[in-house]
């Protein structure tokens, strides 16, 4: 049996035993008020028992069912766009390595999207380097600039913007990825038993309910909501960056007469082609990556926080402002 | 040198079984009982049933306060002596560290790592910036050319690095602030606020605010360090600070470049300076710059997680716990006002 399941069962039994002990004591001392209170606690212990059973089922069987559902949804989504993938190909595209959980699938999906981001950055970096050189190029004739590379600015500026977006998106991806890793490592072995333990006692019932809602929210609802919105967007992610690079200029031996001018001329000749390639990157690649790694995770986060907010109340706490404060922070 | 928090020597002495505040609280409780008994007798004398009921209710509250004091005396002694390794047996914190020193240990470890990365980033940047922004000018008699042959190597990389630097610094500051906070509350709450709360809970007019202070103290003394230790243990050890997981061919790409041409630039710096671009590209600076951008971004996201996200999460748990504890202790804290701080 998994450690967290065992720990959860022990805590539920402890909660039962304490409530039963209080009832016995209240009857022994004929204290009606205490008996009433103990019976109320017994009801909470029963609800904790059902909650624990629900969590165990959700995090074991529920995860597998949701995984299969997401797999089918992804395959269907790709099929609608004319891309046929078999279940075996799905396993290759999204290698969860036997860990068939929502959190792992979301992480792997994000990772596959991130590899496109890296390709975009590499392509942009490589293609823009000669243009930065060309942009810095000036020819003086008695303090007058007869020739300058200022006209290459659109490409260098676009490349800088693409890279800024790419780095920002990479940063967000790493945040989400590390958050998911932390949740995967701590949710079941630590937070779930702690939440159930806290919920068992009246003074800490609210925080226990919050912790439980947080576990359910981030371990199950967040990855599920993310994969749902990704697949319901009817636009499966395909990395659309140009297949080929133009033949890059030879930047070596620049002391040779006319070599710098050659690079500058190469820049001028390939200006339209490269600008078109960068636009294509933005249109077909960066947009998709940004939506998949930035916009949709935030949408999933809003769904998760709303879920936590309402579920916290369901689990026995009343914290309307805390969730709002957290959403405000996000 | 490790950051030493005040609480260990000032309060958590092994031989301090009954600290002064616990005696003072007992005295306050007795004073409170004496006052209530006095009012009870007055009410009895004047046959004031309302006064009698009030006095009985207050005696009940004093009884509850006495139970709280006994529980807190045990809890505070436990807080001083509870080792971080009790919470997580496999922890990397030294075995004799209590939970406050343990949480500071993690915060300090994280700060050190962040500072190491920030320094590396600064060192790399200060080395890369002049190389990639140098301008070569050849204008004899006012006629000639000026170029920045290496600008393309880092122009797209530098803004990302600056942002990563900012994020790392913010993470570092927040983390250090948490260290000082742990130092403050572990000393201040154990020595001043908690005794004050207990003292105030002993007397009727200040009972509610006393309960609130006790709840705050319990939240800070037990919940907050626990969260930091847990996040530190599972976060610092299991996550890669600068992960190259998603740039799999970075090292392979770097291995394809030779460094001999790079060293040759400086050993043979002559009129052939225009060869810099080719030589620098050959030397792999481009690959290093690009790869490090991702490594530093990875570290920046780590700093965000531990410098901003987890502190916010900890505050939420702290506020929630404190609210329910304060309710149990006598008065519910208005969480609406507290969350405005976030």
């Amino acid at each position: 049996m998994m450690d967290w399941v065992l720990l959860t069962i022990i805590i539920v039994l402890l909660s039962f035993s304490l409530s039963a002990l209080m009832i016995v004591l209240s009857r022994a001392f004929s204290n009606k008020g205490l008996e009433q209170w103990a019976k109320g606690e017994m009801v909470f212990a029963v609800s904790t028992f059902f909650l624990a059973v629900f969590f165990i089922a959700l995090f074991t069987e529920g995860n597998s069912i949701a995984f299969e559902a997401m797999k089918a949804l992804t395959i269907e989504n790709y099929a609608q766009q004319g891309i046929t993938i078999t279940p075996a190909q799905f396993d290759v595209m999204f290698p969860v390595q036997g860990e068939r959980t929502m959190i792992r699938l979301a992480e792997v999906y994000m990772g596959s999207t991130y590899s496109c981001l890296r390709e975009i950055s590499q392509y942009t970096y490589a293609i823009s380097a000669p243009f930065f050189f060309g942009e810095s190029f000036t020819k003086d004739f008695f303090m007058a600039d007869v020739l300058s590379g200022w006209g290459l600015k659109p490409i260098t500026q676009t490349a800088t913007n693409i890279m800024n977006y790419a780095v920002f998106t990479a940063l967000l991806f790493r945040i989400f990825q590390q958050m998911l890793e932390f949740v995967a490592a701590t949710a079941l072995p630590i937070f779930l038993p702690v939440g159930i333990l806290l919920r068992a006692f009246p003074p800490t019932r609210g925080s226990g309910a919050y912790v439980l809602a947080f576990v359910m929210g981030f371990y199950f609802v967040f990855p599920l909501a993310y994969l749902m919105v990704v697949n319901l967007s009817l636009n499966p992610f395909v990395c659309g960056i140009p297949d080929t690079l133009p033949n890059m200029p030879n930047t070596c031996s620049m002391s040779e007469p006319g070599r710098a001018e050659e690079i500058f001329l190469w820049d001028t000749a390939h200006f339209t082609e490269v600008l078109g390639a960068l636009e294509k990157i933005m249109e077909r690649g960066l947009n998709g990556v940004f939506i998949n790694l930035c916009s949709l995770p935030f949408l999933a986060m809003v769904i998760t926080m709303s879920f936590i907010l309402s579920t916290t109340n369901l689990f026995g706490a009343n914290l309307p402002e805390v969730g709002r404060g957290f959403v405000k922070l996000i | 040198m490790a950051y030493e928090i005040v609480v260990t020597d000032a309060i958590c002495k092994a031989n301090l079984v009954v600290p002064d505040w616990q005696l003072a609280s007992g005295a306050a409780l007795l004073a409170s009982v004496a006052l209530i008994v006095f009012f009870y007798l007055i009410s009895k004398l004047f046959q004031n049933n309302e006064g009698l009921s009030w006095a009985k209710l207050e005696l009940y509250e004093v009884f509850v306060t006495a139970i709280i004091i006994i529980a807190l005396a045990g809890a505070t002694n436990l807080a001083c002596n509870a080792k971080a390794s009790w919470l997580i047996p496999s922890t990397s914190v030294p075995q004799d560290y209590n939970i406050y020193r343990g949480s500071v240990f993690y915060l300090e470890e994280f700060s050190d790592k962040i500072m190491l990365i920030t320094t590396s980033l600064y060192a790399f940047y200060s080395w890369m910036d002049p190389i990639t922004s140098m301008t070569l000018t050849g204008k004899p008699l006012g006629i000639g050319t000026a170029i920045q042959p290496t600008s393309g190597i880092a122009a797209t990389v530098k803004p990302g690095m600056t942002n990563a630097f900012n994020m790392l610094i913010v993470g570092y500051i927040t983390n250090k602030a948490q260290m000082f906070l742990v130092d403050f509350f572990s000393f201040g709450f154990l020595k001043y606020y908690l005794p004050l709360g207990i003292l105030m809970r002993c007397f009727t007019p200040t009972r509610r605010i006393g309960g609130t202070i006790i709840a705050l103290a319990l939240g800070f003394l037990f919940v907050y360090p626990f969260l930091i230790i847990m996040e530190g243990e599972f976060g610092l050890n299991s996550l890669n600070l600068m992960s190259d997981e998603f740039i799999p061919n970075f090292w392979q790409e770097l291995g394809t470049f030779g460094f001999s041409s790079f060293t040759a630039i400086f050993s043979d710096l002559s009129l052939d300076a225009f060869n810099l671009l080719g030589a620098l590209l050959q030397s792999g600076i481009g690959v290093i710059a690009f790869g490090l951008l991702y490594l530093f971004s990875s570290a920046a996201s780590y700093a965000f997680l531990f410098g901003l996200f987890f502190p916010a999460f900890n505050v939420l748990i702290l506020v929630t716990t404190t609210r329910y504890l304060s309710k149990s202790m006598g008065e519910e804290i208005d969480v609406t006002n507290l969350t405005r701080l976030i």
Side-chain angles (χ1 to χ4, degrees), chain A residues 110-132:
Chain A
M110 282 184 172
S112 71
T113 317
Y114 179 78
S115 62
C116 179
L117 187 71
R118 186 170 178 265
E119 282 176 35
I120 288 171
S121 313
Q122 270 184 325
Y123 187 94
T124 310
Y125 176 74
I127 197 83
S128 65
F131 287 89
F132 278 100

Side-chain angles (χ1 to χ4, degrees), chain A residues 114 118 121-122 125 132 136-138 140 142 174 177-178 181 190-191 203 210 253-255 317-318 322 326, chain B residues 139 142 144 146-148 151 153 230 239 243 246-247 249 253 272 274-275 286 294 298 301-302 316 323-324:
Chain A
Y114 179 78
R118 186 170 178 265
S121 313
Q122 270 184 325
Y125 176 74
F132 278 100
S136 71
F137 191 92
T138 56
D140 279 23
F142 292 120
R174 290 290 297 162
Q177 191 220 8
Q178 288 182 342
E181 276 183 23
I190 299 287
F191 279 112
Y210 185 76
S253 308
M254 288 218 299
S255 58
N318 181 23
V322 169
F326 201 72
Chain B
K139 297 177 184 173
I147 52 169
Q148 287 183 310
S151 66
I153 292 174
M230 197 188 58
L239 300 180
S243 172
F246 289 98
I247 42 175
N249 46 355
E253 282 172 23
D272 204 23
F274 275 109
N275 278 331
Y294 278 86
S298 164
S301 67
Y302 193 86
L316 281 181
R323 182 190 171 190
Y324 276 83

Side-chain angles (χ1 to χ4, degrees), chain A residues 104 107 110-112 114-115 117-118 120-125 128-130 132-145 156 159-160 163-164 166-167 170-179 181-182 185-186 189-191 194 198 202-208 210-211 214 218 251-256 260-261 263 301 305 312 316-323 325-326 328-330, chain B residues 88 139 141-157 159-161 163-164 167 226-227 230-232 234-235 238-243 245-250 253 271-279 281-282 285-287 289-290 293-294 296-306 308-310 312-313 316-317 319-321 323-325 328 332 335-336 339-340 342:
Chain A
R104 180 70 186 145
E107 212 178 319
M110 282 184 172
S112 71
Y114 179 78
S115 62
L117 187 71
R118 186 170 178 265
I120 288 171
S121 313
Q122 270 184 325
Y123 187 94
T124 310
Y125 176 74
S128 65
F132 278 100
F133 165 77
E135 188 202 359
S136 71
F137 191 92
T138 56
K139 267 204 175 241
D140 279 23
F141 188 76
F142 292 120
M143 298 176 71
D145 283 349
T156 54
T160 308
M163 282 296 279
N164 285 346
V167 172
L171 180 79
L172 282 176
F173 161 73
R174 290 290 297 162
I175 289 167
F176 280 118
Q177 191 220 8
Q178 288 182 342
M179 206 174 75
E181 276 183 23
F182 177 79
T186 57
I190 299 287
F191 279 112
V194 165
L198 289 173
T204 53
R205 184 154 292 144
S207 29
Y210 185 76
V211 171
F214 194 87
F218 276 90
T251 52
C252 297
S253 308
M254 288 218 299
S255 58
E256 287 176 15
E261 282 83 353
I263 296 171
M301 184 64 88
M305 291 316 297
T312 305
N318 181 23
L319 300 160
E321 289 301 324
V322 169
F326 201 72
K328 240 189 282 177
L329 176 82
I330 293 166
Chain B
I88 303 162
K139 297 177 184 173
L141 302 172
I143 304 168
T145 305
I147 52 169
Q148 287 183 310
T150 52
S151 66
I153 292 174
T156 50
V157 172
M161 287 200 167
N163 291 339
M167 182 57 77
F226 168 72
L227 287 169
M230 197 188 58
E231 286 155 6
F234 289 93
S238 63
L239 300 180
N240 288 325
L241 198 55
M242 287 175 79
S243 172
E245 186 187 348
F246 289 98
I247 42 175
N249 46 355
F250 169 62
E253 282 172 23
L271 289 175
D272 204 23
F274 275 109
N275 278 331
L276 267 175
L277 177 59
L281 281 175
Q282 266 188 323
I285 286 178
V287 181
F290 189 74
L293 171 66
Y294 278 86
F296 285 126
S297 295
S298 164
S301 67
Y302 193 86
F304 178 90
L305 198 70
F306 280 85
L308 293 173
F309 181 82
F310 282 141
F313 171 70
L316 281 181
I317 297 286
V319 167
T320 314
T321 312
R323 182 190 171 190
Y324 276 83
L325 280 173
S328 306
E332 187 177 346
V335 185
T336 315
T339 48
R340 278 181 198 154
I342 299 172

Side-chain angles (χ1 to χ4, degrees), chain A residues 251-285:
Chain A
T251 52
C252 297
S253 308
M254 288 218 299
S255 58
E256 287 176 15
R259 178 52 58 87
E261 282 83 353
E262 264 180 38
I263 296 171
F264 184 71
L265 286 173
W266 182 93
D267 289 346
T268 317
H270 289 84
F271 180 84
T272 317
E273 185 191 353
V274 172
L275 194 60
L278 292 179
E279 278 171 8
K280 205 177 279 179
I281 282 177
M282 285 193 289
E283 200 180 304
R284 295 186 191 167

Side-chain angles (χ1 to χ4, degrees), chain A:
Chain A
M1 193 183 284
M2 284 167 286
D3 287 348
W4 65 271
V5 175
L6 192 67
L7 207 56
T8 307
I9 290 170
I10 290 170
I11 292 165
V12 169
L13 288 176
L14 182 75
S15 174
F16 261 123
S17 310
L18 286 175
S19 304
L21 184 72
M22 290 308 286
I23 291 175
V24 170
L25 282 176
S26 64
R27 289 203 177 158
F29 292 101
S30 302
N31 188 334
K32 287 283 171 197
L34 184 64
E35 190 179 343
Q36 197 109 16
W37 177 81
K39 279 179 179 169
E41 285 306 305
M42 182 60 98
V43 171
F44 264 108
V46 171
S47 71
T48 306
F49 168 74
F50 283 116
L51 264 181
V53 170
F54 169 69
F55 280 131
I56 291 168
L58 182 72
F59 295 146
T60 52
E61 293 306 313
N63 243 331
S64 301
I65 294 167
F67 185 90
E68 289 305 322
M70 283 304 116
K71 186 176 175 177
L73 195 62
T74 310
I75 291 172
E76 183 65 27
N77 194 24
Y78 272 85
Q80 282 195 354
Q81 303 297 312
I83 305 163
T84 309
I85 51 169
T86 61
Q89 282 172 322
F90 178 91
D91 291 338
V92 175
M93 281 170 72
F94 305 107
V96 292
Q97 289 161 348
E99 205 183 320
R100 301 169 77 80
T101 58
M102 284 291 93
I103 207 157
R104 180 70 186 145
L105 185 60
E107 212 178 319
V108 169
Y109 182 88
M110 282 184 172
S112 71
T113 317
Y114 179 78
S115 62
C116 179
L117 187 71
R118 186 170 178 265
E119 282 176 35
I120 288 171
S121 313
Q122 270 184 325
Y123 187 94
T124 310
Y125 176 74
I127 197 83
S128 65
F131 287 89
F132 278 100
F133 165 77
E135 188 202 359
S136 71
F137 191 92
T138 56
K139 267 204 175 241
D140 279 23
F141 188 76
F142 292 120
M143 298 176 71
D145 283 349
V146 290
L147 181 69
S148 86
W150 187 83
L152 301 173
K153 196 85 179 163
I155 286 187
T156 54
Q157 197 55 54
T158 309
T160 308
N161 290 343
I162 288 175
M163 282 296 279
N164 285 346
Y165 264 110
V167 172
F168 176 69
T169 312
L171 180 79
L172 282 176
F173 161 73
R174 290 290 297 162
I175 289 167
F176 280 118
Q177 191 220 8
Q178 288 182 342
M179 206 174 75
L180 287 176
E181 276 183 23
F182 177 79
V183 170
T186 57
L188 298 188
I190 299 287
F191 279 112
L192 184 67
V194 165
I196 287 177
L197 185 70
L198 289 173
R199 196 182 176 279
F201 303 102
T204 53
R205 184 154 292 144
S207 29
Y210 185 76
V211 171
L212 287 179
F214 194 87
V215 168
M216 198 173 158
F218 276 90
Y219 187 78
F220 190 76
V221 176
F222 176 71
L224 180 70
Y226 173 68
L227 291 166
M228 284 284 277
V229 292
V230 160
N231 283 308
L232 292 177
S233 65
L234 291 178
N235 181 24
F237 178 72
V238 179
C239 193
I241 65 162
D243 294 332
T244 52
L245 272 173
N247 285 327
M248 300 291 277
N250 180 11
T251 52
C252 297
S253 308
M254 288 218 299
S255 58
E256 287 176 15
R259 178 52 58 87
E261 282 83 353
E262 264 180 38
I263 296 171
F264 184 71
L265 286 173
W266 182 93
D267 289 346
T268 317
H270 289 84
F271 180 84
T272 317
E273 185 191 353
V274 172
L275 194 60
L278 292 179
E279 278 171 8
K280 205 177 279 179
I281 282 177
M282 285 193 289
E283 200 180 304
R284 295 186 191 167
L286 197 62
N287 279 354
V289 176
F290 194 75
I291 288 170
N292 274 275
L293 290 183
C294 188
S295 310
L296 296 182
F298 274 104
L299 188 59
M301 184 64 88
V302 171
I303 293 171
T304 308
M305 291 316 297
S306 308
F307 172 84
I308 291 174
L309 198 61
S310 49
T311 318
T312 305
N313 298 342
L314 188 71
F315 289 162
N318 181 23
L319 300 160
E321 289 301 324
V322 169
R324 203 180 299 168
F326 201 72
V327 170
K328 240 189 282 177
L329 176 82
I330 293 166

